[in-house]
């Protein structure tokens, strides 16, 4: 039914000359990739006037319009439609008579919203249609102050000078709605949001997760690769916190149904801290993930990555090659990008033209030309690479090889005199060859261009303040294939104030490196199986991820449990 109504409405817009067929086709194409309401897209793109759309909707659907700006919202109706339901479906309760509830919506074609509201309230609904901005303003007036009242006790201990200073806001369109902006500037919302950011930086978190559920708001920090939950504000604060983050990141605070990405920078203790923002809609509201990029904690020095001597030497030698491809593989959060940045810094010189293509740019590097991917305008990895190759680069870093087209261009660049650095999602070094083949790259091109593949992991480092020796349990000795009759001493962290009782403080890298010598190249060209290539690589000295993890364990750098956790399945 909803589809037939949409066709009828677009037909009326076309017939009355309010919309052209070309503009409609463009909007429908965007809707296919981004989703959302067609009406919102048409208005947001400036193709249709909102009042004109409202008039057509009202006439064709026989739904009376209402001007919410001229009525006083009845706050007693908030007990019938809860705040999360009103926000999620952008609906305002207007009046109730007997068992009939009158509501105003901007999107009357959302039949799922009407079904959910009717089911949740147990009432018969009468529908009115209103402008979207008036809906949002009315929701703020009816529900907005509840959140601030519920968190007075939470923010009372915070001092006025604890509020963080936003020193940089990302470029991009900023859709500022006065009422929503006002909510994000309320002191409780500002202080709680700033407290979450400040505490995350203080605890050395790499990511901050803000997750809404039916009856609670969960805040988690990723510290040394693992998530830790902290005490969270009430769920009523969720909308204000998310809106506050959207404002400082120059995102659309009125958009709740589409994913959004941005970034901002704060000044904390006279040092800049960058945050990369990702917001996606979930069942109970918008989930926010903030990637923390603390420049004071990021030292782009290869010697400080924690790799052993042979691995470091192999990386440095590969980086000195004039052309070819170097790949770093591993799961998300394994430190691949940091390793490539360190390698870039190691090989950088005024005589070389360095260019990166990233999604997004994580670290700003002086003297390096960095291009941020923007798929919305057609600036993909492949499109960027084609343009960059015309700018005489010596070294190209690609944030990630995701598809066959990017892989093909990258390998051809490596074959035509450029040094190409990139990442790939595979479990081990040998798997990178098969992954490239699966992308459609011919084996002879892989063998001709690839110099080195490194599979990386990060191990949590034992806290030096509470480190103590313990015997290696028998079952772990068997798992790590050690001599059972020989007692092995390993180490663990008891837990102290320095490591916040976790026993770990910081992380150290390990990397399995596959160098492509003439034999490996012949095997790749002949499409040899992975076990065959791995067998030869071990004969010439390649240490596996497990071998390297066990070595760190015996050196007292990490624990047996951590070595097992990181290398299970490889």
């Amino acid at each position: 039914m909803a589809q037939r109504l949409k066709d009828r409405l677009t037909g009326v817009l076309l017939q009355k000359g309010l919309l052209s067929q070309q503009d409609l086709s463009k909007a429908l194409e965007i809707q296919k990739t981004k989703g959302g309401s067609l009406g919102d897209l048409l208005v947001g793109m400036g193709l249709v006037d909102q009042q004109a759309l409202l008039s057509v909707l009202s006439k064709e659907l026989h739904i009376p319009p209402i001007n919410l700006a001229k009525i006083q919202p009845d706050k007693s109706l908030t007990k019938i439609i809860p705040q999360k339901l009103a926000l999620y479906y952008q609906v305002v309760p207007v009046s109730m008579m007997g068992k009939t509830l009158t509501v105003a919506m901007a999107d009357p074609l959302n039949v799922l919203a009407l079904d959910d509201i009717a089911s949740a309230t147990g009432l018969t609904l009468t529908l009115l249609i209103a402008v979207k901005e008036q809906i949002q303003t009315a929701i703020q007036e009816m529900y907005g102050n509840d959140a601030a009242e519920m968190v007075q006790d939470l923010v009372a201990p915070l001092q006025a000078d604890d509020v963080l200073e936003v020193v940089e806001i990302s470029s991009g369109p900023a859709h500022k709605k006065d009422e929503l902006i006002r909510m994000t500037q309320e002191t409780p919302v500002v202080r709680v949001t700033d407290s979450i950011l400040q505490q995350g930086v203080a605890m050395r978190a790499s990511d901050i997760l803000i997750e809404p559920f039916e009856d609670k708001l969960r805040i988690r920090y990723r510290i040394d690769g693992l998530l830790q939950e902290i005490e969270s504000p009430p769920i009523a604060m969720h909308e204000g916190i998310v809106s506050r983050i959207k404002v400082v990141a120059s995102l659309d605070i009125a958009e709740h149904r589409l994913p959004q990405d941005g970034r901002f920078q704060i000044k904390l203790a006279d040092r800049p801290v960058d945050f990369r923002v990702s917001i996606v809609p979930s069942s109970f509201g918008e989930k926010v993930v903030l990637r923390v990029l603390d420049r004071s904690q990021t030292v782009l020095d290869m010697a400080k990555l924690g790799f052993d001597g042979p691995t470091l030497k192999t990386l440095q030698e590969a980086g000195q090659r004039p052309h070819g491809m170097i790949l770093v593989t591993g799961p998300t959060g394994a430190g691949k990008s940091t390793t490539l940045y360190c390698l870039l810094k190691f090989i950088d010189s005024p005589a070389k033209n360095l260019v990166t293509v990233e999604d997004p740019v994580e670290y700003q590097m002086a003297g390096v030309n960095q291009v941020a991917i923007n798929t919305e305008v057609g600036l993909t990895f492949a499109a960027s690479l084609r343009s960059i190759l015309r700018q005489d680069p010596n070294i190209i870093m690609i944030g990630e090889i995701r598809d066959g087209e990017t892989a093909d261009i990258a390998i051809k660049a490596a074959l035509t005199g450029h040094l190409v650095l990139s990442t790939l999602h595979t479990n081990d070094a040998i798997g990178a060859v098969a992954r490239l083949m699966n992308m459609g790259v011919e084996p002879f091109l892989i063998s001709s261009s690839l110099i080195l593949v490194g599979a990386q992991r990060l191990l949590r480092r034992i806290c030096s303040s509470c480190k103590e020796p313990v015997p290696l349990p028998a079952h772990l000795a068997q798992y790590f294939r050690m001599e059972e009759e020989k007692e092995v001493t390993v180490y663990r962290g008891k837990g102290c104030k320095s490591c916040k009782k976790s026993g770990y403080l910081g992380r150290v890298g390990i990397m399995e490196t596959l160098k492509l010598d003439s034999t490996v190249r012949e095997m790749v060209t002949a499409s040899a199986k992975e076990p065959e290539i791995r067998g030869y690589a071990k004969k010439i000295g390649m240490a596996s991820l497990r071998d390297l993890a066990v070595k760190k364990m015996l050196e007292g750098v990490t624990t047996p449990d951590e070595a097992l956790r990181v290398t299970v399945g490889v």
Side-chain angles (χ1 to χ4, degrees):
M1 180 180 176
Q3 181 63 40
R4 291 197 299 270
L5 287 172
K6 185 177 78 172
D7 291 342
R8 197 169 82 209
L9 291 169
T10 53
V12 173
L13 291 172
L14 292 170
Q15 183 181 357
K16 294 189 174 184
L18 299 172
L19 179 68
S20 68
Q21 184 62 55
Q22 183 180 0
D23 288 340
L24 175 60
S25 300
K26 182 179 178 182
L28 289 172
E29 193 64 32
I30 294 175
Q31 189 188 35
K32 285 181 184 178
T33 57
K34 292 188 174 183
S37 163
L38 179 61
D40 287 346
L41 275 175
L42 293 173
V43 173
M45 295 169 67
L47 302 177
V48 175
D49 179 72
Q50 191 164 48
Q51 287 294 343
L53 180 63
L54 182 69
S55 176
V56 171
L57 284 169
S58 175
K59 182 177 180 181
E60 291 299 316
L61 299 178
H62 306 289
I63 298 175
I66 183 173
N67 186 350
L68 292 175
K70 294 185 178 180
I71 69 168
Q72 185 68 30
D74 184 356
K75 292 191 177 183
S76 66
L77 296 176
T78 57
K79 297 177 182 178
I80 299 173
I81 295 184
Q83 181 183 18
K84 66 180 181 183
L85 204 62
L87 287 168
Y88 189 76
Y89 287 126
Q90 292 292 286
V91 59
V92 174
V94 177
S95 64
M96 190 171 75
M97 183 174 295
K99 292 291 184 178
T100 300
L101 176 67
T102 300
V103 297
M105 293 181 67
D107 184 10
L109 297 181
N110 191 343
V111 292
L112 293 178
L114 296 173
D115 289 344
D116 283 354
I117 295 167
S119 177
T121 60
L123 300 171
T124 301
L125 299 183
T126 297
L127 187 59
L128 301 175
I129 187 171
V131 176
K132 186 176 182 180
E133 282 76 7
Q134 292 182 4
I135 294 281
Q136 292 163 350
T137 300
I139 291 174
Q140 173 62 24
E141 290 178 358
M142 296 180 74
Y143 299 93
N145 293 329
D146 294 343
E149 293 170 1
M150 292 179 68
V151 296
Q152 287 297 335
D153 294 338
L154 179 68
V155 301
L158 294 173
Q159 302 299 319
D161 56 3
D162 286 336
V163 177
L164 304 181
E165 175 190 357
V166 179
V167 296
E168 180 180 308
I169 297 177
S170 64
S171 60
H175 307 273
K176 297 187 176 180
K177 313 299 182 188
D178 292 341
E179 294 301 323
L180 288 174
I181 291 287
R182 187 177 65 191
M183 179 180 69
T184 68
Q185 293 174 341
E186 292 176 352
T187 301
V189 170
V190 173
R191 290 191 181 179
V192 170
T193 306
D194 288 354
S195 177
I196 292 170
L197 301 181
Q198 190 172 17
Q199 188 176 351
V201 174
M203 294 178 69
R204 302 177 297 103
S206 60
D207 299 273
I208 300 173
L209 282 68
I210 302 172
E211 304 163 298
F213 295 95
E214 185 174 7
D215 56 357
K216 66 172 288 188
L217 179 63
R218 183 170 70 178
I219 308 293
R220 294 191 291 173
Y221 295 147
R222 188 177 295 279
I223 301 171
D224 293 335
L226 297 182
L227 289 169
Q228 298 181 21
E229 186 172 353
I230 65 165
E231 187 175 348
S232 303
I235 185 64
M237 281 215 69
H238 171 252
E239 184 70 17
I241 292 171
V242 174
S243 295
R244 172 65 180 169
I245 291 170
K246 286 182 179 180
V247 167
V248 297
S250 290
L251 300 178
D252 185 351
I253 60 176
E255 179 56 72
H256 304 285
R257 293 173 294 183
L258 296 175
Q260 296 190 71
D261 296 294
R263 64 188 304 150
F264 64 93
Q265 184 186 100
I266 64 171
K267 195 172 184 181
L268 181 63
D270 294 326
R271 76 175 191 267
V273 180
D274 295 305
F275 290 86
R276 201 174 74 203
V277 183
S278 174
I279 301 176
V280 297
S282 67
S283 299
F284 299 103
E286 292 174 290
K287 175 184 176 182
V288 181
V289 176
L290 302 166
R291 171 62 57 89
V292 184
L293 304 171
D294 188 352
R295 298 182 190 180
S296 66
Q297 299 291 326
T298 304
V299 180
L300 299 180
D301 185 347
M302 291 190 68
K304 295 183 179 179
L305 292 173
F307 298 142
D308 59 6
T311 299
L312 197 59
K313 183 180 178 182
T314 299
L315 272 174
Q316 291 174 339
E317 287 177 351
Q320 297 291 352
R321 297 280 290 272
H323 55 81
M325 177 181 284
I326 300 172
L327 292 177
V328 180
T329 75
T332 301
K336 304 184 295 296
S337 296
T338 301
T339 297
L340 289 185
Y341 277 115
C342 290
L343 187 55
L344 270 183
K345 187 174 181 181
F346 172 75
I347 61 183
D348 186 22
S349 75
K352 295 176 180 177
N353 179 11
L354 276 66
V355 183
T356 73
V357 185
E358 304 169 66
D359 182 23
V361 174
E362 290 197 20
Y363 301 103
Q364 302 288 343
M365 292 187 67
V368 178
N369 303 286
Q370 296 174 273
V371 178
I373 293 303
N374 187 348
T375 55
E376 291 185 3
V377 298
L379 188 63
T380 62
F381 277 110
S384 300
L385 283 172
R386 290 192 189 94
S387 299
I388 286 169
L389 289 173
R390 294 193 288 269
Q391 296 209 338
D392 190 33
N394 299 106
I395 300 163
I396 304 170
M397 187 186 96
I398 306 168
E400 181 185 347
I401 293 179
R402 298 176 179 174
D403 52 56
E405 186 180 14
T406 304
D408 182 63
I409 298 172
I411 284 181
K412 288 177 180 176
L415 291 171
T416 54
H418 306 87
L419 182 63
V420 179
L421 317 177
S422 189
T423 68
L424 202 62
H425 283 284
T426 62
N427 288 330
D428 54 26
I430 310 297
V433 175
R435 179 81 176 107
L436 289 172
M437 289 183 184
N438 290 338
M439 288 182 175
V441 181
E442 294 292 341
F444 75 91
L445 291 176
I446 299 173
S447 63
S448 302
S449 60
L450 207 54
I451 301 171
L452 175 73
V453 183
Q456 182 169 324
R457 297 292 190 277
L458 293 176
L459 296 163
R460 288 186 293 169
R461 191 190 293 268
I462 299 172
C463 174
S464 59
S465 300
C466 58
K467 184 176 179 179
E468 64 175 6
V470 292
L472 179 66
H475 71 283
L476 288 178
Q478 184 179 7
Y479 180 82
F480 291 129
R481 299 175 184 175
M482 296 181 174
E483 299 177 18
E484 295 183 12
E485 64 276 5
K486 182 181 178 181
E487 185 174 317
V488 178
T489 299
V490 291
Y491 294 85
R492 72 174 183 184
K494 291 188 297 183
C496 64
K497 185 178 180 181
S498 297
C499 61
K500 294 180 173 57
K501 304 296 181 182
S502 69
Y504 299 96
L505 190 62
R507 289 190 287 180
V508 62
I510 56 173
M511 180 181 283
E512 171 187 281
T513 53
L514 172 67
K515 292 191 292 184
L516 275 79
D517 63 10
S518 57
T519 303
V520 175
R521 294 185 192 281
E522 288 176 4
M523 296 172 79
V524 171
T525 302
S527 299
K529 301 295 183 182
E530 288 187 33
E532 187 180 346
I533 299 175
R534 178 173 291 280
Y536 172 77
K538 285 191 172 183
K539 283 182 182 179
I540 61 173
M542 184 187 81
S544 68
L545 285 167
R546 182 170 296 174
D547 295 335
L548 295 166
V550 169
K551 182 180 179 183
K552 293 292 185 185
M553 176 188 76
L554 296 176
E555 291 173 350
V557 176
T558 193
T559 64
D561 289 341
E562 185 68 3
L564 177 63
R565 180 186 72 85
V566 170
T567 62
V568 66
V570 296

